[in-house]
Amino acid sequence: YRLDSEVIKITNKNFHSIKYGEKITKAKELMFNYKINQIPILNDNGVVIDVITKEKLTDEEDELDNCVVIMAGGLGKRLLPHTSGCPKPMLQIGGKPILEIILLECISYGLEEFYISVNYLKEKIIDYFGDGKSLGINIKYLIEEKPLGTAGSLQLLPKTIKDPILVMNADVLTKFDLNYLLNFHYKRKAKATLSVL
């Protein structure tokens, strides 16, 4: 082939990929079985939205066992009237609730244990996600009988949790590398690590 050849002539149409939301372990398995170094992540329309490389993956023993707390109890006053009958985390982007997109991103890192703090219109969140089994995860809810303020719901967590927890807002979409964040935290033996946008 020449440098000016049509790309369609050299395109690999039988490539390996994973879908957005699938577990990162599937990408590891494909890389190992087919001796490849990159796996594209496709959205529901088959469009590449990200690429996983071997360098981004951790070893099997470094799988993330940490739990995630997602704060979804806010009133969403600044987005009225959109939030008059819908909690802000359930507003849709690209046909999916913001909270679902956040969960799928966490799942792609192998995270499976989630606590979601809820208050305003909590039934809409609980009815949609249930116990998380449909996504292959475990979800428990921290019910705020009254608004507890920023991170106030952390006092509702079980006292038995020993590993560091990831705390996230339910209205922030990011592609931040959660492996990097936790490794950074562990290496510095920190009491807390804060990531800001």
Side-chain angles (χ1 to χ4, degrees), residues 10 21 34 51 131:
I10 57 173
Y34 296 99
V51 176
D131 60 7

Side-chain angles (χ1 to χ4, degrees), residues 184-197:
F184 180 94
H185 177 83
Y186 281 119
K187 285 178 182 176
R188 284 157 182 77
K189 300 179 180 177
K191 296 291 185 185
T193 300
L194 183 65
S195 172
V196 295
L197 299 175

Side-chain angles (χ1 to χ4, degrees), residues 58-184:
T58 56
D59 294 329
E60 283 295 333
E61 60 268 24
D62 292 331
E63 284 289 321
L64 303 184
D65 293 324
N66 310 75
C67 69
V68 182
V69 177
I70 302 178
M71 296 182 290
L75 299 176
K77 289 181 178 178
R78 286 174 292 189
L79 283 177
L80 287 170
H82 304 291
T83 51
S84 61
C86 178
K88 185 163 59 169
M90 296 304 289
L91 294 175
Q92 294 197 359
I93 295 179
K96 280 190 175 72
I98 297 170
L99 182 51
E100 184 172 358
I101 297 170
I102 292 170
L103 286 169
L104 291 173
E105 182 69 13
C106 291
I107 291 169
S108 74
Y109 283 92
L111 293 158
E112 297 180 344
E113 299 294 327
F114 294 85
Y115 292 88
I116 301 177
S117 66
V118 292
N119 173 255
Y120 176 64
L121 297 174
K122 60 182 179 291
E123 294 80 11
K124 290 188 180 290
I125 294 174
I126 296 171
D127 290 347
Y128 187 91
F129 293 104
D131 60 7
K133 291 294 187 288
S134 63
L135 294 172
I137 57 176
N138 298 312
I139 297 177
K140 296 182 179 69
Y141 296 93
L142 307 175
I143 310 290
E144 298 183 34
E145 299 301 338
K146 59 181 181 180
L148 298 175
T150 303
S153 61
L154 296 182
Q155 64 188 288
L156 303 176
L157 285 169
K159 303 295 186 274
T160 53
I161 297 175
K162 301 299 181 186
D163 291 322
I165 59 175
L166 282 162
V167 181
M168 308 172 73
N169 287 318
D171 59 356
V172 176
L173 294 178
T174 175
K175 283 289 188 180
F176 190 80
D177 190 326
L178 299 179
N179 277 320
Y180 177 86
L181 176 63
L182 282 167
N183 287 335
F184 180 94

